Amino acid sequence: MLSSDQASQLKRPSNSSLHRPNSPSKTLAAKPSASHLAPPSPSKLPANIAASAEVSKLQAELLQLYLLHQEAPNVDAEWRASAKQKLGNRFQKLSEESREVAEQESVALEKRNVLALRRWGSGGRLDEKIQSLESIVTNVWSLSDPGGRYARVVRHFEIWIDGVSEMEDARKKGVMLTQGNDNLFIEDLDARWKEERGDLIQLLTEWRQQLSDINDLSRDEFYTEPPEEDEKSSLEKMLDGSRMLIDDMLAELEIMDEVEHEALAREDAWIEKMNRSEDDDLRVSRVRGAWNEM
């Protein structure tokens, strides 16, 4: 048995044997500071990474452009050859179709002309009608030529109406002009012009009546309604064209007469106005073409 002193000595360790165990973290080597860390690679910086991607993209585009440029002459030649062939085929097809349509129209027109000529001569007097139409067309075109009678009448009237316009415009500005033989007033057209105009009206009226007598195509049993312009025969176009030309010439001659009457009426009104504005002893006479003191 151990005594109490011996037992206490066994339970209490000696001071020399007591020590604090080291912490595992204390035994590890100390971490280096941030100043001792190695710098990252420049290629891994965000800005450099973005620049590298852009360069790669540009290189790819440049390669594509190079390949396109290298193949451009061949591609252009192939495209031109293909386009030329396609357009050539299309043009040839359209030409053939146009030629077929023209042939069909020619055949149709020939049929219409033959039918119209038969209808025109069905009542007899075909030779007489042809001669009458030829005479009318020749005479009408002769009148309307630049040196023809109708053209001379038109030119004379145009000169006269230009003078009337100049005098009326000058009066509005307070200026007095003379017309023709130094007259201060607007004179009517001369008697020779009026006689020529009357002869033309008589001739054109007679030719229009003759044309109406021979133009019986619209009065036969085959004529149900007026045909379209592109469906008319050459004979119908000639008859209609001659009638329209005669009608237009007659209408123009009638308008010339109306314009003359209106101009002279304005002149009489102007003279009356001037007389009212002057003294009672001073009168204006358009007949004598001068100021006259009464």
Side-chain angles (χ1 to χ4, degrees), residues 39-266:
S41 175
S43 61
K44 295 182 179 181
L45 294 176
N48 292 336
I49 293 175
S52 178
E54 185 67 21
V55 170
S56 299
K57 180 181 178 181
L58 293 175
Q59 288 177 343
E61 293 179 356
L62 182 61
L63 179 60
Q64 292 177 356
L65 291 174
Y66 172 76
L67 295 176
L68 289 175
H69 178 72
Q70 189 177 20
E71 297 295 331
N74 296 333
V75 174
D76 181 71
E78 293 176 359
W79 178 83
R80 290 180 180 274
S82 176
K84 184 177 181 180
Q85 182 180 2
K86 291 181 179 180
L87 291 177
N89 295 337
R90 184 178 180 184
F91 178 77
Q92 184 177 1
K93 182 179 179 181
L94 291 176
S95 298
E96 293 175 355
E97 293 177 354
S98 176
R99 185 164 50 253
E100 292 177 359
V101 172
E103 291 176 356
Q104 293 175 1
E105 291 179 349
S106 178
V107 172
L109 178 60
E110 184 177 356
K111 290 181 179 179
R112 290 197 299 269
N113 290 339
V114 172
L115 180 60
L117 194 60
R118 288 179 178 176
R119 289 164 49 200
W120 201 37
S122 60
R125 302 171 46 242
L126 180 59
D127 293 339
E128 180 183 347
K129 291 179 179 178
I130 293 176
Q131 293 177 1
S132 179
L133 178 59
E134 181 182 3
S135 175
I136 293 172
V137 172
T138 301
N139 290 329
V140 170
W141 281 107
S142 177
L143 283 182
S144 59
D145 280 343
R149 296 173 61 187
Y150 181 82
R152 290 196 299 268
V153 168
V154 172
R155 281 198 302 270
H156 188 86
F157 177 80
E158 289 175 347
I159 294 173
W160 177 83
I161 196 62
D162 288 342
V164 171
S165 299
E166 290 178 0
M167 291 189 69
E168 291 181 342
D169 292 341
R171 289 172 181 175
K172 293 178 182 179
K173 300 176 182 178
V175 180
M176 295 293 294
L177 293 180
T178 59
Q179 183 192 38
N181 54 352
D182 295 335
N183 288 333
L184 294 174
F185 307 100
I186 296 175
E187 301 291 338
D188 54 354
L189 287 161
D190 57 85
R192 183 178 179 182
W193 180 88
K194 293 182 178 180
E195 182 180 357
E196 184 71 7
R197 172 183 167 275
D199 291 343
L200 291 178
I201 291 177
Q202 183 178 358
L203 285 174
L204 291 171
T205 303
E206 292 176 358
W207 293 337
R208 182 171 61 180
Q209 183 60 44
Q210 294 176 11
L211 194 62
S212 177
D213 293 339
I214 64 175
N215 187 12
D216 53 2
L217 288 176
S218 60
R219 298 192 295 269
D220 60 16
E221 58 182 355
F222 300 98
Y223 194 91
T224 56
E225 59 182 10
E228 299 293 337
E229 187 65 26
D230 56 349
E231 296 179 354
K232 291 182 179 180
S233 64
S234 299
L235 177 60
E236 289 172 315
K237 292 180 180 179
M238 184 178 296
L239 291 170
D240 292 345
S242 301
R243 178 185 53 78
M244 291 177 61
L245 181 58
I246 292 175
D247 290 343
D248 291 342
M249 295 171 73
L250 284 172
E252 190 171 12
L253 291 173
E254 292 295 334
I255 291 175
M256 292 179 190
D257 185 60
E258 294 176 3
V259 170
E260 181 191 15
H261 284 300
E262 292 176 359
L264 296 179
R266 291 195 304 270

